[in-house]
Amino acid sequence: MTRGAAITRRVAGHLARGVVMIWVVATVSFFIIREIPGDPVQGMYESLLQKGMSPQQAERATAVLYGFLPKGTLWDQYVGYMGSLLHGDLGQSLSTPGVQVTHLIGAAASWTVLPVLAGTLLSFLLGVTMGVYAAIRRSGKLGDLLALSGSLLHGIPVYVIGLLLTAIFATLWPILPSGGPVDVDYVPGLNPGYIGSLLYHAVLPVVTYTLASYGGWILAMKSNVVAVLGDDFILAAELRGLKRGIVFRYLARNAILPLFTILALSIGMLFGGSIFIEEIFNYPGLGLLLVNSISSRDYALMGGTFLIITVGIVVANIVADLLYTVIDPRVRSGGTA
Amino acid sequence: METAPGVRIRDLTVVYNTPMGELPAVSGVDLTLTPGTITGVVGESGSGKSTLALSLLNAVQPPGRISGGSVEIDGLGDVVRLRGEELRQARGRKVGYVFQAAQNSLNPLKTIGKQLLDLGRSHDVADPRALVRDAKDLLARMGLDGARVLDSHQHELSGGMRQRVGIMLALVLNAKVVVLDEPTTALDMITQATILRIIREVHEERALTTLVITHDVGAVAEVADALAVMYGGRIVEHGPIADVLGAPAHPYTQGLIRAIPRLSGDISQARALPGRPPTLGTLPAAGCVFRERCALRMEICETVEPAPVTCGGRTVACHAAGHSLAPVKRKEYV
Ligand SMILES: Nc1ncnc2c1ncn2[C@@H]1O[C@H](COP(=O)(O)OP(=O)(O)O)[C@@H](O)[C@H]1O
Ligand SMILES: [Mg+2]
């Protein structure tokens, strides 16, 4: 099998698994909305009837809100819901009446995706560099200290990191804004004031994301480097008198490679962490949207946000795997990892 | 043509740090490699062959270290004292090394060709194209399709092919001293013989000084000029190969040869050496290291370590050696 075909096959496999995952999440959120105690769909339908709407009007209004009809068998409702999902229709928000869920999600997505990606990238670069250092200096004080910093940060839950950072940099020593995405004084657009304010407000969330996954990277990288250092081919390269820089590149590339398999996992974890982070920093991303949708019992929004986060994780998986495939020449068939 | 360099190992001791303290894997070894010859080193697994080989490049890995002695190589000086860039440039360029686990001696993420170019770049090879040509020639001699191999990654090659790539990489820079640690273990008998023959050919064409390590006396018998027998970190016997194989003086050498039907000539008479080789922890602190398995054990063997005695080009370290030359065996060999 050619390399191109192998890559296509892997991506196809991921896509198939991703579709199944999205379908499961969609189904679960359908049943959550439908089966939740008090049945919000039925409740709304009935309250609309009580407000004097005709059954048809009430039905249509409910369908617009939840994306499926409250009438008919559960199966019919399910098919209706899935049908509208396929058309990209997630229903309307209850808490912000008249606004499509897709619209709200679209507005929130970049507030989550960009900081999460920035945090992932920063923590990856930082963790990998420090991990190499910690591995090479593993018998020294500094190496120990680095590894310790990794273990500590790895053990601290992300919301504790967020709270600590706000406490320190927004309250005790207020050099950074405590929350919000941007100062309202600036006119949105490509002007230095607005962009500067955006970045200024993004510092704490991004640093929180970075610290949250830095520990994992440094620990994983350190153990990979130590393992590769023990591999015969590194000694062989030294015995052939290869230049230090070249041996180091052999070492680093072989040690980094396995990290790509956990890249998707890490991005997924940060997406999950955004629920806490955005709450703490009052950052209008998907996490905050989800929290608000839960507290306002906006089930359509809740289901939609869940679904989008799932899609994000599936996409991250595919991208991480593609990276891995491009870098590792050993990936030939779907069989070998 | 450049003359082959000589190699003189003097009183070399290499220790490994173990939970029981630093224990010697190579103890006070003296060994001279005559310029232009192939010296075979044989001995059971654990006798210190790889440690000795690594010492030739000052490459003993932690927790081991060279604790004493010298390794003089003509044109390089005492390798044990080399450091940093000097040492790096000597490795590969002056001393070619085939790693014991040559099947695993390649970077899995790069093609062989790219690794070859890395080697060239590391040693400032002026003409990479000539380097590639030489590599292809060497691979072709060893029965491989050079162009294809250079285009391959390690995982696309069999163990035997990787081993031959390892040999190519050790020879391609034209190093004058070549150390091969079990270079043919992953190969079948026929390929093994072919590879050893090619090593012999290249050795002669280029006037090299070569050290071939193996636990297979039969394999090395065909190519080596001299044979050194290692046991428990010592060289117990060393001399011209026909002499050592034809009239082994040390009881250990005799036992080794008797264990190989190919050499003892008669399968029914082939007998495995009784007992097991010592490990670092079980090496006796005083006396002869071989006495536990020795049929000629005497009282003196318990307390005094036999010093190597040289006589007529042969060096033997055994208290009983004088009495032990087996005349019957000798007849079979002359
Ligand atoms: N890294 C190490 N740590 C401790 N002991 C070692 C290490 N490497 C080798 N040894 C010991 O040194 C002795 C010689 O090993 P080696 O040189 O590999 O022998 P050979 O190549 O003849 O099989 C053996 O007893 C082995 O157990
Ligand atoms: Mg060995």
Side-chain angles (χ1 to χ4, degrees):
Chain A
M1 185 160 45
T2 68
R3 202 161 148 71
I7 294 176
T8 316
R9 235 183 76 160
R10 280 172 77 92
V11 172
H14 270 294
L15 275 177
R17 256 168 291 154
V19 167
V20 170
M21 203 165 128
I22 291 167
W23 170 72
V24 168
V25 169
T27 305
V28 168
S29 62
F30 167 81
F31 282 105
I32 288 177
I33 296 169
R34 190 64 189 70
E35 296 298 318
I36 210 129
D39 190 350
V41 182
Q42 195 60 33
M44 168 161 180
Y45 176 67
E46 276 160 17
S47 81
L48 287 178
L49 281 182
Q50 274 167 15
K51 281 180 191 157
M53 271 194 191
S54 72
Q56 287 87 356
Q57 276 177 316
E59 233 172 62
R60 232 173 294 127
T62 318
V64 163
L65 267 180
Y66 286 103
F68 60 91
L69 286 168
K71 282 289 165 190
T73 62
L74 200 60
W75 175 249
D76 288 339
Q77 295 180 17
Y78 178 67
V79 171
Y81 176 69
M82 284 297 169
S84 46
L85 271 194
L86 282 182
H87 292 99
D89 179 8
L90 295 173
Q92 278 188 11
S93 166
L94 193 71
S95 44
T96 326
V99 181
Q100 288 289 320
V101 165
T102 43
H103 182 82
L104 287 174
I105 287 175
S110 58
W111 294 111
T112 299
V113 172
L114 292 180
V116 162
L117 287 185
T120 303
L121 197 70
L122 275 175
S123 64
F124 185 78
L125 292 178
L126 203 70
V128 160
T129 319
M130 293 300 148
V132 171
Y133 203 79
I136 290 173
R137 296 288 162 86
R138 64 188 175 286
S139 44
K141 278 235 165 54
L142 210 86
D144 281 350
L145 219 66
L146 281 172
L148 193 69
S149 78
S151 314
L152 272 178
L153 278 171
H154 195 52
I156 302 180
V158 55
Y159 58 89
V160 175
I161 298 178
L163 286 173
L164 271 177
L165 287 178
T166 25
I168 297 171
F169 294 107
T171 312
L172 278 181
W173 185 35
I175 53 166
L176 288 168
S178 64
V182 67
D183 271 338
V184 282
D185 316 345
Y186 296 104
V187 190
L190 279 177
N191 59 76
Y194 180 71
I195 290 173
S197 172
L198 273 183
L199 294 177
Y200 187 50
H201 282 76
V203 169
L204 277 183
V206 169
V207 168
T208 309
Y209 287 127
T210 306
L211 291 183
S213 51
Y214 158 85
W217 292 127
I218 187 175
L219 293 182
M221 189 61 183
K222 184 194 162 183
S223 78
N224 285 355
V225 170
V226 171
V228 176
L229 271 175
D231 275 352
D232 289 333
F233 78 90
I234 293 292
L235 176 59
E238 278 171 7
L239 294 184
R240 292 188 189 116
L242 294 198
K243 284 191 170 143
R244 284 180 62 126
I246 294 177
V247 177
F248 184 78
R249 254 177 289 149
Y250 282 19
L251 175 69
R253 247 183 91 187
N254 277 277
I256 286 179
L257 191 64
L259 294 185
F260 284 97
T261 54
I262 46 174
L263 188 61
L265 216 64
S266 161
I267 293 179
M269 199 194 75
L270 289 188
F271 263 121
S274 72
I275 295 169
F276 304 105
I277 305 298
E278 291 170 2
E279 167 100 65
I280 292 169
F281 295 110
N282 192 22
Y283 217 65
L286 292 171
L288 194 62
L289 199 63
L290 188 61
V291 171
N292 290 341
S293 72
I294 293 170
S295 57
S296 61
R297 302 192 156 232
D298 191 342
Y299 296 106
L301 184 56
M302 199 169 99
T305 316
F306 258 139
L307 208 58
I308 283 308
I309 291 180
T310 311
V311 170
I313 292 172
V314 168
V315 170
N317 259 303
I318 293 178
V319 171
D321 192 67
L322 263 182
L323 273 175
Y324 186 81
T325 314
V326 167
I327 301 174
D328 191 344
R330 285 165 296 194
V331 181
R332 294 266 129 191
S333 57
T336 46
Chain B
M1 189 192 274
E2 234 181 293
T3 53
V7 177
R8 292 166 299 279
I9 301 169
R10 289 291 170 268
D11 200 23
L12 183 74
T13 299
V14 182
V15 293
Y16 283 104
N17 200 354
T18 72
M20 289 169 284
E22 286 196 324
L23 299 174
V26 170
S27 298
V29 161
D30 283 324
L31 180 66
T32 302
L33 309 186
T34 313
T37 63
I38 298 185
T39 303
V41 175
V42 296
E44 286 159 295
S45 170
S47 54
K49 305 181 299 293
S50 294
T51 305
L52 177 68
L54 285 169
S55 307
L56 263 73
L57 287 136
N58 192 359
V60 176
Q61 295 299 299
R65 66 181 182 95
I66 298 177
S67 65
S70 63
V71 178
E72 294 271 352
I73 299 181
D74 288 341
L76 270 178
D78 183 1
V79 179
V80 174
R81 288 163 190 283
L82 289 186
R83 293 280 176 276
E85 269 299 279
E86 256 185 327
L87 181 59
R88 181 187 75 70
Q89 283 166 7
R91 292 175 177 171
R93 175 63 112 182
K94 298 281 169 57
V95 187
Y97 194 96
V98 178
F99 202 57
Q100 165 147 17
Q103 310 97 282
N104 310 324
S105 75
L106 300 164
N107 180 349
L109 300 185
K110 278 193 144 183
T111 62
I112 310 303
K114 290 207 176 115
Q115 296 182 62
L116 174 70
L117 293 177
D118 283 343
L119 182 69
R121 207 146 23 96
S122 294
H123 293 284
D124 303 316
V125 170
D127 185 357
R129 246 176 256 163
L131 185 73
V132 170
R133 207 168 44 236
D134 291 350
K136 282 185 185 163
D137 283 350
L138 282 166
L139 290 170
R141 287 177 78 165
M142 291 187 278
L144 298 179
D145 175 349
R148 243 199 69 204
V149 167
L150 291 185
D151 245 357
S152 305
H153 285 93
Q154 167 194 281
H155 69 271
E156 295 163 299
L157 306 174
S158 69
M161 288 160 102
R162 293 180 203 174
Q163 210 156 24
R164 280 173 273 180
V165 168
I167 295 173
M168 176 275 284
L169 290 172
L171 295 175
V172 74
L173 286 179
N174 224 333
K176 289 293 175 191
V177 177
V178 176
V179 180
L180 304 107
D181 191 355
E182 315 243 3
T184 57
T185 39
L187 304 174
D188 61 85
M189 289 290 265
I190 295 173
T191 320
Q192 191 172 325
T194 315
I195 299 300
L196 286 171
R197 200 195 66 238
I198 290 152
I199 289 171
R200 175 93 227 174
E201 278 173 22
V202 174
H203 166 88
E204 273 161 17
E205 282 165 23
R206 299 186 178 175
L208 307 178
T209 302
T210 305
L211 188 72
V212 180
I213 285 170
T214 171
H215 58 251
D216 180 358
V217 189
V220 82
E222 335 256 319
V223 291
D225 304 298
L227 189 65
V229 180
M230 261 192 113
Y231 190 85
R234 278 102 177 141
I235 294 201
V236 294
E237 181 161 8
H238 175 215
I241 190 144
D243 295 359
V244 176
L245 289 182
H250 196 284
Y252 177 60
T253 318
Q254 294 168 0
L256 268 187
I257 292 171
R258 230 178 279 129
I260 306 164
R262 237 202 298 176
L263 291 179
S264 59
D266 186 347
I267 295 187
S268 63
Q269 277 185 7
R271 249 176 300 149
L273 199 67
R276 278 192 295 146
T279 61
L280 289 191
T282 59
L283 269 179
C288 175
V289 288
F290 184 61
R291 64 172 187 266
E292 299 293 339
R293 302 167 76 186
C294 184
L296 309 173
R297 184 169 173 176
M298 304 180 298
E299 210 163 299
I300 186 173
C301 306
E302 307 291 329
T303 49
V304 180
E305 177 163 1
V309 174
T310 305
C311 173
R314 177 117 57 118
T315 307
V316 182
C318 176
H319 295 302
H323 328 261
S324 72
L325 291 177
V328 184
K329 285 262 160 260
R330 177 179 245 169
K331 237 185 190 165
E332 286 176 13
Y333 273 88
V334 172

